[in-house]
Amino acid sequence: MKKTVLFLCTALITGCSTPPQSNDHHTPPIAGEPISDSNKKAIAALFSLLAKEAKKQWGEDEYIESSKHRYVKYLDGYQTRAHIDFDAGKIYVSTVSQHKPMEKLHKAIVQTVLMPADPKDIEQFTDKDIQLKGKPFFLGQVVDQEGKSIEWEWRANRFAAYMLENKLQSKTIKKGNAYYVQIDMVKDHLAQREYQYAHLVRDASKRYDIPEGLIYAVIKTESSFNPYAVSHAGAYGLMQVIPKTAGADVFNLVKKKPGMPTKEYLFDPANNIDTGAAYLYILKTRYLRDVTNPSSRHFSMISAYNGGTGGVLATFHTDRKKAMVALNQRSPSQVYDALTTKHPKDEARRYLQKVLYFQKDFKEGKI
């Protein structure tokens, strides 16, 4: 397994284009350090407000919220919701409304299957209706009772009627009765989402000299190609970019402009993939440029994308200069072993393993 991983990464880290260059030759600062309290507080406030309103309707036990691999949108005074499990390929549309519940479910099913591909057009922290415009995100990922893609409202309405007549389920919760339907995505739903972003990944790969397979693997690990992904850490979109850390670095070091991206900017898939790939470029060419072995650098930049450069170095020594020396004294397989067994954060240990595992499935030119 170790030899396979090493061979894979050695083959994938080479590039053929010239990315943007940095003029800074001073010792680089450390990226990916603990997220600022203000950033955490801002996203926590949004989640807290949503939870407060939704729990009034659903109760503590039945409350569900969005995460990196799950999208949850509340509607109708928080009494109705769409819950999308991107890993399992399941969509649950539910309501606890006791006033015309079937009408509420019908409307929510239509809005869910036709929800726009651009996440900026959806307010996931409110109960406002989903505005139906542009290409539906689930086009090709969800089909109706006839096996046909759902692109227009007339077909979505007919599908909703079919689901309510044939697939309606109910259960008793503390707040009363809940009615719901389960919609199964097509078997290749993940591949369908991958294909939506193939041109963006290809462009970002060429722009920053980052392998397409690595970008795909990071997206799959971070969000399962869920463009609506949001976390309590304040990370947004497909590559889960945090505005005040990775986002600010990209703006300042690559885009050469002050400030940091907004969440609206990062919810745009093109901006998100560009920013995530640019941050990988920063890790590779700036923060971890002193890692001499290309495979060791590859492992380190993947680990740093999740746990910060400081976490990578702390794996080898408490003193950062000594840590870099110690890292370079190890073989790539020893670096991999250290980062997957001795990294200070358990999540970062698993993260490197996951990304490398997924990267095997995304060889250049696959999509």
Side-chain angles (χ1 to χ4, degrees), residues 119-290:
K120 299 194 305 296
D121 294 329
I122 302 176
E123 296 186 36
Q124 58 178 303
F125 289 104
T126 74
D127 68 331
K128 291 184 179 180
D129 284 351
I130 299 172
Q131 299 301 312
L132 306 183
K133 57 181 179 179
K135 179 182 177 181
F137 172 74
F138 285 112
L139 188 63
Q141 299 178 63
V142 173
V143 295
D144 68 6
Q145 66 276 15
E146 297 175 349
K148 296 182 179 179
S149 293
I150 305 170
E151 185 171 4
W152 312 109
E153 283 195 54
W154 67 266
R155 188 176 289 279
N157 276 298
R158 193 171 70 172
F159 175 65
Y162 169 84
M163 293 298 295
L164 292 177
E165 184 175 346
N166 296 278
K167 304 293 183 179
L168 181 66
Q169 301 181 62
S170 66
K171 69 175 183 178
T172 301
I173 63 176
K174 291 181 180 179
K175 291 286 187 176
N177 289 324
Y179 300 93
Y180 67 98
V181 297
Q182 175 185 309
I183 302 171
D184 295 327
M185 297 185 205
V186 297
K187 289 183 179 180
D188 66 341
H189 63 93
L190 181 60
Q192 294 277 351
R193 292 198 296 280
E194 294 165 10
Y195 181 76
Q196 287 190 33
Y197 307 116
H199 64 295
L200 300 177
V201 171
R202 183 169 56 250
D203 290 347
S205 172
K206 292 178 180 177
R207 189 177 302 121
Y208 300 112
D209 195 23
I210 299 296
E212 287 184 38
L214 176 57
I215 299 174
Y216 277 120
V218 169
I219 295 174
K220 185 173 181 179
T221 303
E222 290 288 354
S223 67
S224 289
F225 292 85
N226 166 20
Y228 314 99
V230 62
S231 75
H232 278 274
Y236 300 103
L238 293 162
M239 296 188 75
Q240 285 293 277
V241 178
I242 297 175
K244 289 193 174 182
T245 53
D249 272 356
V250 170
F251 266 33
N252 297 330
L253 301 176
V254 177
K255 304 297 183 182
K256 303 300 181 184
K257 58 183 181 181
M260 60 184 178
T262 63
K263 70 176 187 295
E264 290 79 14
Y265 179 93
L266 292 175
F267 270 136
D268 182 298
N271 293 335
N272 192 280
I273 292 173
D274 176 83
T275 306
Y279 187 59
L280 287 169
Y281 163 75
I282 291 171
L283 291 171
K284 177 182 177 181
T285 62
R286 182 183 174 90
Y287 296 136
L288 294 166
R289 68 186 178 202
D290 291 332

Side-chain angles (χ1 to χ4, degrees), residues 290-327:
D290 291 332
V291 179
T292 54
N293 185 281
S295 292
S296 295
R297 191 185 311 122
H298 189 79
F299 300 148
S300 298
M301 63 190 274
I302 293 172
S303 182
Y305 191 91
N306 175 262
T309 307
V312 170
L313 297 178
T315 303
F316 299 94
H317 201 282
T318 53
D319 180 274
R320 286 171 168 169
K321 290 184 179 180
K322 292 180 180 180
M324 186 62 74
V325 173
L327 192 162

